[in-house]
Amino acid sequence: MNWENILEFARGPFFQVALLVFVAGMAYRLVRVLALGWKPDRVKAKGSRVGGVAVSFLKGIIIWPFVPWVKNTFSRNPVIYLAGGLFHLGLFVVIFLGTAHMLVWKSLLGIGWFTLPLPIVDWLAAGAIVAMIALFINRLVNPVLKLLTGPAEWLNWLIVFLPMVTGYIMTHHLWLEYDTLFALHMLAVDVLLIWIPMSRISHFMFYFFAKAIHGSDFGKRAVTP
Amino acid sequence: MEKSQTAVNTFVKETGAWIAAQLEACTRCGMCAEACHFYQGTGNPEYAPVWKIELLRRAYEQRFTLSGKFKLALGLEKAVTDADLTHWSEIDYYACTMCNKCSMVCPMGINLGSMIHDVRTGLSNAQAVPADLHAAVEKQENEGSPLGVTDAVFKQRIEWVADEWEIELPVDVKGADTLVVFSSIEVMKFPSNLAAIAKIMNAAGEKWTISTKGREVVNFGFYEGNEELTVLFASRVFDAAKELGVKRVMVTECGHAYDALRWSAANFMQVPAGIEVTHIAGVLGEFVKSGRIKLKPGAYDNDGAITFHDACKIQRRGSHIQEPRDILNILAPKSFKEMTPNKEEAICCGGGGGVIAIKDADPIRYAAFELKIDQIKKANAKTVAMVCSNCRLQFTDSVQHFNLDVKVAGLSQMVADALVEK
Ligand code: HEM
Ligand code: HEM
Ligand code: SF4
Ligand code: SF4
């Protein structure tokens, strides 16, 4: 067995299995939660629930929670805002607007889109990696995070970190053969895909529910969420 | 059955999809900690809002999710025990006012305040409630009020107030438009508030009444998370309103009661149709705007800066953010100054949610209040106005404790004292 075979495996059957686990797993998680039943809110609204949801999402749109000056809590824990924001920004740009990844989407969905020039993607990838290291250290030292962090949280971090660094090293042709790195990158990606539905990385799906519930509750009370 | 089993059963029963989705959305990022005045005041990581729903999360995951079952089987996480209940009873009752500030800060928008209320329900069913808080609940069950305002005491208090301030307080008037329900904090500790509100209602020509049956607006069952008693206490008010045939119930300077009656009741009981629930803060705004009462402009402009404390249940959770400000801008256009942060982002006083009724919680209640002191000092305020008598109790007590040179004022009182006779 050599790296070429591993790469083939990781890009081929293993990737397909991982993708299947990811899709089926997320669907299972969603159904499982929704099956618990939704109790309608019977309280007469003062403001607009839908309006509240809209504002909640507008404020939440990916970047806003990380914009430092909108929350007075920033000064007390800046790392989580700055590093958390930079990490997610880098992540989204890399996986949606990097050329290599867009091509993956194209092969899966059949449609492609514009991509950003490599240097920009590359710098954001580097930023995301640095941010992840900052988040790691923050988890080690912040008293609240120490309390909240168990093996699952460390694994989340590691399993997102691995595709990041292998991708970055590969792009820069460092240390190992390109194929070796590509194989490692793909293995890491496959593991990530399988891990997401089993862990809190699935937060991106439930984010939309939580934000909507929040907005609706504030809208009902006619308060800006 | 073991206590912990009762609690877990309650958690499981309460966990509908909306709760589950929020528990799943949490990334355990810890940002909510910095929003909580109890964490900020003490630095105790266990007061992080997300940690206050830890038992709910564990119960949910171990019952409904594969990863939860897996962690349980591997011994990475333990089932909820009786010792846990005792431990979290202190965290959830001593160190949370259910002000929901944390949900404003959580990047996922998780409504932590209402979930902490659900945790309290589990603790209440398992009888893991701090003794003095529960004693107050029982007192309200048996005597009609947590502060011992029995029928006889109420009648006597009302007569005394009418006498002392020479004011008319209509009692049990059928066909009145508005049923005014005071909190026993006002009745016992701030009786001049009764006179002030009566004066305002009379001046506005409102057809109003008090009820001897629905005479307590405070709902200590809601503080405790006791579902049965919450309903009982709320129905005392609603039944009185039905009997008197009023169009609306007006909650006076009490926040928690407003949250219970106006924003939650329909979800846990049958509320009578056609009866609106309002708050004095909204009614004051309405009276001033429509010209039913007239205020002396600048009446409070000569006593140094005045600031306004936003109560979590009346402003952030109740939307009466603008009315008090409009009024203060008439009463003290030059000396009204905002604290920062304010309005829906305001910092809670630290006394609500039943916390002030728990003796052992005093040190952290004072610690949380230090944030408020800081805000007041930065605004350079000599007077702090507010529309919640529970906040007012916390303020008066803490101002004394810290020996501060700050006046604590109820807005109704300020309005009543600045009425222009027509
Ligand atoms: C709608 C999309 C998403 C939203 C709104 C979102 C939001 C958040 C927030 C608010 C946090 C906590 C703050 C922080 O630590 O940065 C977080 C943490 C995290 N997110 Fe996301 N996220 C999204 C998508 C993703 C995706 C797609 C991934 C990975 C594939 C991801 C991976 C992570 C990781 C690993 C953490 C934990 C970082 C730590 O150790 O503190 N997120 N996310
Ligand atoms: C189907 C999944 C994926 C495939 C086929 C794939 C493939 C690739 C390829 C071909 C490259 C470019 C190498 C080059 O330009 O020489 C790359 C780079 C990279 N990948 Fe992936 N990748 C996948 C998923 C992911 C995921 C999920 C992440 C992050 C969590 C990730 C992070 C990166 C990073 C950070 C780079 C380097 C970008 C740069 O520095 O410009 N990849 N990947
Ligand atoms: S801020 Fe929200 S997502 Fe972060 S730990 Fe607190 S509850 Fe969870
Ligand atoms: S509701 Fe208020 S008191 Fe309770 S945890 Fe959240 S911020 Fe703290």
Side-chain angles (χ1 to χ4, degrees):
Chain A
M1 188 112 136
N2 56 32
W3 284 107
E4 224 167 282
N5 297 2
I6 296 179
L7 177 58
E8 223 163 83
F9 172 70
R11 287 184 79 178
F14 192 28
F15 180 64
Q16 275 155 2
V17 169
L19 212 53
L20 197 72
V21 171
F22 172 74
V23 174
M26 292 304 275
Y28 170 78
R29 291 281 301 280
L30 188 61
V31 170
R32 191 77 214 241
V33 164
L34 294 182
L36 292 171
W38 217 282
K39 199 170 67 183
D41 189 342
R42 287 197 302 265
V43 175
K44 205 175 114 221
K46 179 175 174 190
S48 158
R49 286 194 170 88
V50 178
V53 175
V55 175
S56 169
F57 275 114
L58 279 177
K59 276 184 141 187
I61 271 184
I62 301 159
I63 300 302
W64 193 298
F66 303 115
V67 176
W69 53 88
V70 297
K71 296 288 173 198
N72 61 320
T73 44
F74 170 72
S75 58
R76 302 178 56 98
N77 193 355
V79 177
I80 195 96
Y81 286 88
L82 296 177
L86 185 59
F87 157 63
H88 283 85
L89 177 70
L91 177 76
F92 288 134
V93 167
V94 167
I95 54 181
F96 290 112
L97 298 179
T99 311
H101 296 130
M102 186 276 281
L103 292 175
V104 179
W105 288 107
K106 196 174 174 183
S107 74
L108 289 174
L109 305 173
I111 43 163
W113 48 75
F114 97 103
T115 53
L116 287 174
L118 184 64
I120 297 181
V121 178
D122 194 42
W123 274 107
L124 282 170
I129 291 171
V130 172
M132 281 202 82
I133 294 169
L135 287 172
F136 180 86
I137 296 170
N138 198 39
R139 268 198 192 274
L140 276 178
V141 297
N142 180 298
V144 174
L145 287 173
K146 274 201 270 191
L147 190 65
L148 293 177
T149 306
E153 282 68 32
W154 293 124
L155 270 175
N156 286 345
W157 183 89
L158 183 69
I159 290 173
V160 175
F161 190 67
L162 286 178
M164 282 286 196
V165 275
T166 50
Y168 189 81
I169 295 172
M170 168 168 61
T171 308
H172 291 262
H173 301 267
L174 296 173
W175 304 309
L176 300 171
E177 289 282 313
Y178 189 83
D179 273 1
T180 313
L181 285 165
F182 199 4
L184 289 173
H185 185 57
M186 287 315 298
L187 285 175
V189 169
D190 295 341
V191 170
L192 175 65
L193 283 174
I194 293 171
W195 180 249
I196 289 175
M198 299 202 257
S199 68
R200 284 192 176 276
I201 314 255
S202 52
H203 61 276
F204 60 85
M205 181 167 72
F206 295 105
Y207 165 81
F208 297 96
F209 290 91
K211 267 284 180 192
I213 294 166
H214 178 80
S216 150
D217 185 51
F218 276 68
K220 148 183 148 185
R221 296 164 191 260
V223 179
T224 316
Chain B
M1 192 165 22
E2 261 183 279
K3 276 171 132 192
S4 51
Q5 198 53 49
T6 313
V8 167
N9 289 349
T10 312
F11 294 149
V12 166
K13 196 182 96 225
E14 281 170 341
T15 307
W18 66 99
I19 300 281
Q22 294 183 83
L23 288 169
E24 298 281 15
C26 173
T27 61
R28 295 175 92 67
C29 68
M31 283 192 200
C32 46
E34 306 298 345
C36 182
H37 43 290
F38 289 108
Y39 171 69
Q40 289 186 51
T42 62
N44 182 347
E46 292 210 277
Y47 296 159
V50 59
W51 194 244
K52 289 169 186 157
I53 57 168
E54 178 73 2
L55 294 185
L56 185 66
R57 176 192 70 79
R58 259 157 64 184
Y60 158 73
E61 286 188 356
Q62 291 170 8
R63 172 74 176 72
F64 293 113
T65 73
L66 293 176
S67 63
K69 288 185 175 151
F70 190 69
K71 280 192 236 170
L72 186 64
L74 279 190
L76 289 174
E77 231 159 52
K78 294 197 182 59
V80 177
T81 64
D82 284 5
D84 287 337
L85 296 189
T86 315
H87 186 72
W88 262 274
S89 173
E90 290 197 2
I91 295 175
D92 280 278
Y93 285 107
Y94 289 24
C96 182
T97 48
M98 287 179 285
C99 72
N100 219 26
K101 164 93 186 185
C102 38
S103 93
M104 307 285 299
V105 166
C106 170
M108 312 305 271
I110 295 168
N111 259 343
L112 288 142
S114 36
M115 282 156 83
I116 294 171
H117 184 264
D118 294 333
V119 173
R120 284 189 174 190
T121 301
L123 294 170
S124 163
N125 284 349
Q127 289 164 1
V129 183
D132 31 8
L133 181 64
H134 188 65
V137 178
E138 283 187 329
K139 210 159 169 181
Q140 178 163 12
E141 185 184 4
N142 301 326
E143 296 175 13
S145 146
L147 292 186
V149 184
T150 58
D151 285 324
V153 172
F154 187 70
K155 281 205 184 99
Q156 185 218 326
R157 272 318 254 189
I158 294 293
E159 277 165 24
W160 173 72
V161 167
D163 232 43
E164 178 78 20
W165 281 275
E166 294 176 7
I167 193 102
E168 200 192 327
L169 288 132
V171 180
D172 292 333
V173 179
K174 282 223 160 107
D177 288 334
T178 303
L179 168 62
V180 176
V181 196
F182 294 102
S183 73
S184 47
I185 302 180
E186 291 166 290
V187 177
M188 298 311 284
K189 308 238 157 112
F190 307 117
S192 68
N193 236 37
L194 273 60
I197 289 173
K199 192 173 160 194
I200 294 165
M201 301 306 272
N202 292 341
E206 181 77 11
K207 280 167 68 191
W208 68 288
T209 183
I210 325 177
S211 156
T212 40
K213 268 196 191 151
R215 61 184 151 76
E216 172 63 284
V217 83
V218 160
N219 194 325
F220 263 59
F222 198 60
Y223 282 148
E224 183 185 293
N226 185 318
E227 286 172 310
E228 211 176 301
L229 293 181
T230 303
V231 173
L232 175 71
F233 301 158
S235 41
R236 284 175 183 166
V237 173
F238 283 130
D239 289 350
K242 263 195 301 198
E243 238 179 82
L244 295 169
V246 295
K247 296 200 186 83
R248 62 177 180 178
V249 171
M250 187 186 86
V251 176
T252 58
E253 298 200 338
C254 179
H256 219 84
Y258 187 48
D259 192 17
L261 295 172
R262 170 63 181 91
W263 303 108
S264 314
N267 284 334
F268 57 69
M269 66 189 287
Q270 195 68 39
V271 296
I275 297 178
E276 197 196 333
V277 178
T278 65
H279 191 271
I280 179 79
V283 172
L284 286 178
E286 175 194 313
F287 284 173
V288 170
K289 207 167 178 184
S290 59
R292 285 173 68 182
I293 55 173
K294 264 190 85 67
L295 308 179
K296 194 172 150 232
Y300 295 91
D301 252 343
N302 306 317
D303 298 332
I306 298 181
T307 192
F308 181 73
H309 164 70
D310 292 279
C312 48
K313 303 298 189 314
I314 300 165
Q315 275 77 38
R316 172 165 42 249
R317 308 277 280 158
S319 81
H320 298 297
I321 292 173
Q322 200 45 48
E323 298 97 326
R325 293 181 161 78
D326 290 344
I327 290 170
L328 284 168
N329 277 325
I330 298 174
L331 294 178
K334 289 202 219 85
S335 27
F336 173 49
K337 273 188 72 184
E338 293 278 8
M339 291 185 268
T340 27
N342 55 39
K343 302 179 182 168
E344 65 271 12
E345 304 268 5
I347 298 175
C348 164
C349 70
V355 171
I356 203 163
I358 303 168
K359 186 93 196 80
D360 288 341
D362 281 358
I364 55 177
R365 175 165 64 82
Y366 292 133
F369 192 76
E370 293 196 47
L371 274 78
K372 223 56 231 188
I373 298 180
D374 191 47
Q375 279 193 297
I376 297 168
K377 287 209 170 127
K378 283 199 180 122
N380 225 336
K382 287 278 157 286
T383 305
V384 186
M386 59 203 73
V387 282
C388 175
S389 49
N390 200 71
C391 296
R392 192 162 154 200
L393 200 58
Q394 159 76 337
F395 268 82
T396 28
D397 178 62
S398 302
V399 159
Q400 203 175 25
H401 176 84
F402 289 104
N403 214 349
L404 305 171
D405 182 24
V406 173
K407 246 190 8 228
V408 182
L411 190 66
S412 309
Q413 186 75 58
M414 293 175 71
V415 166
D417 292 346
L419 279 180
V420 178
E421 312 282 342
K422 275 194 251 184

